[in-house]
Amino acid sequence: MAAHLILQKILKTGRVSEPAPAADPALRTRVQALQAEILRVFGQAVAVRHVDAGSCNGCELEIHALNAPQYNIEGLGVKFAASPRHVDVLLVTGPVSRNLETALKRTYEATPEPKWVVAMGDCGCTGGLFGASYAACGRVADVIPVDVEVPGCPPTPTALLQGILAAVSGGR
Amino acid sequence: MSAFDSLNPQAIGKHLWRLRLAAAQLPGLAEAVREDGGQLVALWGSDDRHLGAGYAVHVVFLAARGLVWVSAGLAAEAPAYPDLAAVFPQAGRMQRATWDLLGIRAEGAADGRKWLRHGAWPADAHPLRKDYAGEPVRETDAYPFVRVAGDGVHEIPVGPIHAGVIEPGHFRFSIIGERVLKLEERLGYTHKGIEKRFEGMDPDTGARLAGRVSGDSHVAYAWAYCMAVEAATGAQVPERALWLRALFLEIERVANHLGDLGYLGNDVALSFGLNQFWRLKEEWLRLSEALFGHRYLFDRVVPGGVAADLVGGSALAEYCLAVADEVRELKAVYDEHAGLQDRFANTGICAPELAARLGLTGLAGRASAQAWDARVQFPQFPYDGLEVNMATHRRGDVLARAEVRFAELFESLRLIAEIIAGMQEGALRADLPQVTAPCEGIGWVEGWRGEIVVAVRLGADGRLDRVHPHDPSWRNWPLLETSTLGNIVPDFPVINKSFNLSYSGQDL
């Protein structure tokens, strides 16, 4: 009886979503601020489209981790969407490879205004270890306008959440 | 009598061999390896003109004796070697990439299309040549896809930007109704010039770059790279460092398998699986950070040893038992869930015969009865004393690839406890000996996805002259195409996830 096992496991696991009310006040402040900003700017939620523009896939690991139940991002109003036409924020990883330069520009153009771009990871911010070369353009800001840069290799899910906050609270 | 016996390859490490021969001998050797049940693991080229030679083609074979790195010198003008894809089809894309990057031609190859080159450099320029000084260009990327024609056939082009949080690549589905008649992949989008970037780097920086060829296999790449550098320079790595590398490698395997098992559930609409497995994975990553200072252990494997030690191993060993208990509970749900089993079973089948013919490898290979695991047949220290149990399956479907992940997850959790128990106190890192002449080495590590091979040549100045990192995804991408045939389009995401191949690792 799979349903029985599932219910049993759900009950046993309980709620793992963070932040716990008193566990980490600093994180809670940020999370609450984020929610307030989302409410102010977008009314209810912010939709994010991830674009891998040449990453090593390390940053993608942390974007996935941000979707782990501990972070409960949909509860905060942050949702990853399938199409750039449906989003407010583009989350771009990688030193932009020349083979993806055009696809990234088109994705940017397909995203409706108002829009924000978060460049994620050391590569997205500076080109990182890969730098600019015959095959890579380097930092994201050299290809499309960037609002916020979140450094790290890769940045933690919390840092990423802070970056999205910084983007939407820019008040464009 | 094996293919290599009469050729006397030189032993260059445990289970590692080196052989130099003429290019004309390659097809015959490949045939003999094939008859012995061996495989072609990797193929790449090098520009050796600055060393007073021409070019070279390098082929790595897997044989009964281990890994044999075969090199054949080629002319400085119009370098070419005989096609090997007719014997080992997996060589096809590797040969095409070698043409794009170095202008070394596989003569007689059936498929002469470009592979890693899109429109960023012209057809007559080859960026891995030492004298390449081309400026980037922006050409239209005209790529001749194979067309499927007929009544009711139509195409679905997908990517390079996908709908989920995954890496970029292009999939061209030719379908009739909902059934896939043909799937053709077009990769190379994340090509960022990694091999060129290595040139001139010092060995320590090179280790950081090697670990970022495919971030999800950071430890496997960093270890394989360091193994190659250490072999080239003759460094003696302290035993404790090797124990810690094995610990890191199994931690990496656990993290990836937890994540994949969650996504496999999610792709058949069991979000319970995603949330449970990702809860476990997040806890696992936090523990890695608490113990070793990085959630994915980036830059903890360094030339000559490791850059992090284990303190308080018994807590980690106990935690492994707790994780195993939780995974057992979740496996019971996956086993019992009729909807999940229905979607997993008989979906995305790669039959053992085809897997052998086309060279399927790693965990996907083991799910199709390709019983190779370097930790088992060709163990390096400390795996030679660990008696790793290999997980295999014959079904070759999504279910088999999930089952292999479960089995390997339990085995890695067991191994972590054994590694912690076996480790002795000792030094963590040794200095690399001074390099005075060009030297070469190769590293081979069984990563979570499959074998990671890194070949390194250092120059007389002690800096990197040529590095080729090789991902198992090279061999498995073509089999994702064949495994999708006859399935319905909505099953592609779960088939794709069940292989979970690296784009960055093969795009380089």
Side-chain angles (χ1 to χ4, degrees):
Chain A
M1 282 293 289
H4 174 69
L5 291 173
I6 290 173
L7 288 174
Q8 209 173 34
K9 186 69 185 165
I10 289 172
L11 284 171
K12 202 166 117 183
T13 306
R15 283 184 62 123
V16 297
S17 296
E18 296 168 354
D24 184 350
L27 180 65
R28 190 178 62 183
T29 310
R30 288 197 297 270
V31 169
Q32 286 173 343
L34 173 60
Q35 197 165 28
E37 282 302 320
I38 290 168
L39 285 170
R40 189 180 68 75
V41 179
F42 295 103
Q44 46 192 338
V46 56
V48 181
R49 170 68 239 174
H50 158 247
V51 182
D52 177 338
S55 153
C56 78
N57 78 32
C59 283
E60 283 62 37
L61 298 174
E62 290 297 48
I63 300 173
H64 286 300
L66 184 60
N67 286 281
Q70 283 91 339
Y71 297 102
N72 188 28
I73 55 165
E74 292 201 8
L76 298 171
V78 179
K79 186 172 170 56
F80 281 81
S83 166
R85 298 191 195 283
H86 301 162
V87 302
D88 315 294
V89 173
L90 288 181
L91 177 61
V92 186
T93 63
V96 181
S97 75
R98 296 198 188 273
N99 289 353
L100 281 163
E101 190 182 349
T102 304
L104 176 61
K105 285 178 177 160
R106 283 188 192 161
T107 305
Y108 181 78
E109 284 159 16
T111 309
E113 296 279 358
K115 58 189 165 193
W116 284 262
V117 175
V118 177
M120 175 184 181
D122 287 350
C123 298
C125 297
T126 69
L129 268 178
F130 304 105
S133 69
Y134 77 90
C137 308
R139 64 202 290 250
V140 177
D142 288 346
V143 180
I144 57 171
V146 167
D147 298 282
V148 167
E149 293 183 334
V150 185
C153 187
T156 62
T158 304
L160 196 49
L161 208 50
Q162 284 178 279
I164 294 170
L165 160 66
V168 297
S169 61
R172 195 182 285 180
Chain B
M1 192 67 186
S2 95
F4 291 102
D5 285 350
S6 60
L7 296 166
N8 292 320
Q10 175 198 358
I12 54 168
K14 197 173 178 187
H15 312 300
L16 298 169
W17 306 83
R18 187 75 200 268
L19 179 65
R20 291 172 202 277
L21 41 64
Q25 291 173 270
L26 283 170
L29 177 62
E31 288 277 8
V33 171
R34 159 123 262 155
E35 276 170 32
D36 289 349
Q39 281 289 353
L40 182 146
V41 172
L43 184 151
W44 71 95
S46 62
D47 177 355
D48 298 347
R49 289 175 297 167
H50 61 300
L51 301 170
Y55 293 85
V57 62
H58 305 271
V59 187
V60 168
F61 292 105
L62 179 62
R65 65 171 68 216
L67 211 63
V68 189
W69 174 10
V70 181
S71 302
L74 306 173
E77 293 297 323
Y81 59 97
D83 168 58
L84 297 181
V87 185
F88 287 110
Q90 63 262 41
R93 289 176 180 179
M94 303 175 200
Q95 293 181 162
R96 291 160 64 189
T98 302
W99 167 258
D100 290 344
L101 297 174
L102 276 155
I104 301 175
R105 190 179 296 282
E107 288 202 307
D111 191 343
R113 293 176 295 169
K114 60 184 182 176
W115 183 242
L116 293 182
R117 187 176 74 82
H118 286 205
W121 68 91
D124 59 355
H126 304 286
L128 269 186
R129 289 190 172 185
K130 295 285 185 186
D131 53 4
Y132 172 81
E135 288 295 310
V137 296
R138 172 57 54 206
E139 290 185 349
T140 307
D141 176 31
Y143 185 76
F145 285 93
V146 177
R147 296 277 167 189
V148 177
D151 224 17
V153 178
H154 64 285
E155 282 186 346
I156 308 177
V158 179
I161 311 285
H162 294 303
V165 179
I166 59 171
E167 295 180 78
H170 183 87
F171 298 120
R172 186 69 60 96
F173 295 91
S174 298
I175 64 168
I176 186 155
E178 275 203 308
R179 301 265 159 209
V180 179
L181 283 177
K182 181 172 180 60
L183 164 60
E184 187 173 2
E185 297 153 358
R186 170 89 174 112
L187 303 176
Y189 286 94
T190 72
H191 178 70
K192 43 195 170 281
I194 292 175
E195 289 174 286
K196 191 79 174 175
R197 198 73 181 166
F198 272 117
E199 293 180 3
M201 268 186 177
D202 64 85
D204 282 9
T205 311
R208 299 180 62 229
L209 183 59
R212 287 159 179 82
V213 170
S214 180
D216 57 16
S217 303
H218 177 94
V219 174
Y221 268 105
W223 189 355
Y225 165 88
C226 288
M227 194 187 289
V229 168
E230 288 149 8
T233 58
Q236 292 297 318
V237 184
E239 279 204 356
R240 186 174 177 84
L242 294 170
W243 280 105
L244 283 160
R245 286 179 180 180
L247 179 67
F248 297 162
L249 187 68
E250 297 310 319
I251 288 176
E252 180 170 272
R253 195 181 321 275
V254 168
N256 280 288
H257 284 1
L258 284 173
D260 281 354
L261 286 166
Y263 268 107
L264 283 168
N266 196 55
D267 278 344
V268 295
L270 185 65
S271 60
F272 163 85
L274 180 74
N275 282 299
Q276 290 286 346
F277 276 108
W278 278 77
R279 172 180 63 83
L280 292 176
K281 179 170 180 181
E282 178 63 19
E283 287 175 6
W284 189 253
L285 298 173
R286 291 177 183 187
L287 184 67
S288 298
E289 183 172 37
L291 288 171
F292 306 111
H294 196 282
R295 285 159 61 88
Y296 301 94
L297 307 171
F298 276 27
D299 306 322
R300 270 46 186 175
V301 176
V302 293
V306 292
D309 200 0
L310 173 68
V311 180
S314 59
L316 175 57
E318 274 173 37
Y319 187 69
C320 286
L321 292 177
V323 173
D325 282 343
E326 291 230 34
V327 174
R328 258 186 290 277
E329 288 177 3
L330 297 175
K331 185 170 190 309
V333 172
Y334 276 32
D335 288 347
E336 293 283 321
H337 196 284
L340 178 144
Q341 290 289 321
D342 181 54
R343 294 285 306 278
F344 279 15
N346 301 315
T347 302
I349 295 174
C350 182
E353 299 71 32
L354 193 68
R357 181 73 192 95
L358 301 186
L360 191 68
T361 187
L363 84 87
R366 291 190 285 277
S368 292
Q370 303 311 296
W372 297 96
D373 184 328
R375 298 173 303 160
V376 178
Q377 288 113 324
F378 308 107
Q380 303 285 339
F381 184 89
Y383 286 104
D384 50 2
L386 285 173
E387 294 184 23
V388 179
N389 294 300
M390 196 190 316
T392 57
H393 224 287
R394 285 198 61 82
R395 301 178 61 104
D397 55 4
V398 172
L399 183 59
R401 290 185 283 275
E403 291 283 350
V404 167
R405 280 184 174 86
F406 272 116
E408 293 188 353
L409 181 50
F410 289 126
E411 180 66 0
S412 288
L413 291 167
R414 184 188 74 79
L415 285 170
I416 288 171
E418 267 204 47
I419 290 167
I420 292 168
M423 235 188 263
Q424 305 293 318
E425 290 299 318
L428 297 181
R429 189 175 186 183
D431 288 337
L432 293 183
Q434 190 78 35
V435 171
T436 54
C439 52
E440 297 178 331
I442 194 163
W444 178 22
V445 169
E446 191 72 33
W448 68 269
R449 185 181 277 122
E451 80 287 326
I452 306 288
V453 173
V454 180
V456 169
R457 178 166 65 213
L458 291 159
D461 58 356
R463 303 182 86 83
L464 298 169
D465 180 51
R466 176 79 176 98
V467 177
H468 177 74
H470 202 86
D471 201 277
S473 304
W474 278 102
R475 289 164 71 185
N476 287 3
W477 275 116
L479 280 133
L480 174 65
E481 290 181 346
T482 62
S483 301
T484 303
L485 302 188
N487 287 265
I488 58 173
V489 176
D491 273 342
F492 179 70
V494 72
I495 298 170
N496 190 21
K497 179 53 74 177
S498 73
F499 283 89
N500 193 6
L501 304 177
S502 175
Y503 299 68
S504 182
Q506 94 96 56
D507 289 352
L508 293 171

